[in-house]
Amino acid sequence: MSAEAGVRDPFLEAAIEQARDGLATGGIPIGSVLVIDGEIVGRGHNRRVQRGSTVLHAEMDCLENAGRLSAAAYRRSVIYTTLSPCDMCSGAILLYRIPHVVIGENRTFRGPEEYLASRGVKLDVADSAECFQLMQEFIRENGPLWHEDIGEQAPQRQSCPREGHLQEATGDG
């Protein structure tokens, strides 16, 4: 999905606002909104750090904040997220049969988009420079926290004895 120059999607903007709120409160800058019939019914951002949670990714927080909805409501909804949804969040999208996902960017992280599409979910990737920049700045400053959030071990750095600088530890022996 590509927006015309100067035209901004107000729902993606709301998700970006959520991402900025998450960053401002010490968390990971990923935001999400759930839209039904042109109205935002749920907002959320990644709160794993703030709440010490294992599951409060932006999409999960958004769905939680939307509250209980009917199956028919979910089937009319669109979920906007600033970053490609992970396996867990994609599972919730499939569970509630949310038919449409708008993704701010998927260069930093790409979840199981092909699987979502194979299950009939419409995906639109906005390739937002703002979403990408938010994540790149966060990762540069908080790499280990980012890796924890996506269930990966952060690359370790070690001293290179001959050259006196840091290098990536490869674990190759």
Side-chain angles (χ1 to χ4, degrees):
M1 170 176 149
S2 57
E4 294 177 26
V7 177
R8 303 202 32 128
D9 183 323
F11 301 125
L12 184 56
E13 290 298 314
I16 292 170
E17 180 181 318
Q18 285 296 306
R20 291 192 182 286
D21 288 351
L23 182 62
T25 58
I28 298 170
I30 305 169
S32 183
V33 296
L34 185 67
V35 176
I36 299 175
D37 300 332
E39 179 181 337
I40 295 174
V41 298
R43 299 172 190 263
H45 53 267
N46 187 304
R47 294 180 195 262
R48 288 188 66 251
V49 174
Q50 300 92 321
R51 297 220 179 134
S53 171
T54 59
V55 297
L56 278 181
H57 283 189
E59 299 89 341
M60 303 299 278
D61 188 46
C62 173
L63 292 171
E64 177 72 15
N65 291 333
R68 289 180 62 189
L69 299 172
S70 70
Y74 284 117
R75 287 178 180 88
R76 294 191 323 272
S77 70
V78 180
I79 193 163
Y80 287 74
T81 180
T82 58
L83 187 65
S84 182
C86 72
D87 289 321
M88 174 179 64
C89 297
S90 294
I93 289 164
L94 292 173
L95 176 67
Y96 292 109
R97 296 188 176 112
I98 296 170
H100 189 181
V101 180
V102 177
I103 299 167
E105 69 103 350
N106 65 358
R107 290 180 284 159
T108 301
F109 174 83
R110 186 177 179 125
E113 293 177 20
E114 292 82 13
Y115 183 64
L116 285 170
S118 77
R119 296 283 306 271
V121 177
K122 178 182 178 188
L123 301 173
D124 287 318
V125 180
D127 197 19
S128 162
E130 187 172 4
C131 292
F132 182 73
Q133 182 180 2
L134 268 171
M135 288 306 303
Q136 294 306 301
E137 289 173 4
F138 179 82
I139 292 167
R140 196 169 24 259
E141 297 173 15
N142 303 280
L145 182 56
W146 164 245
H147 285 90
E148 174 191 318
D149 193 63
I150 59 172
E152 294 181 358
Q153 186 171 345
Q156 295 183 7
R157 300 186 67 79
Q158 63 186 18
S159 293
C160 179
R162 288 179 293 180
E163 298 174 19
H165 67 276
L166 294 177
Q167 66 181 17
E168 295 294 323
T170 62
D172 292 338

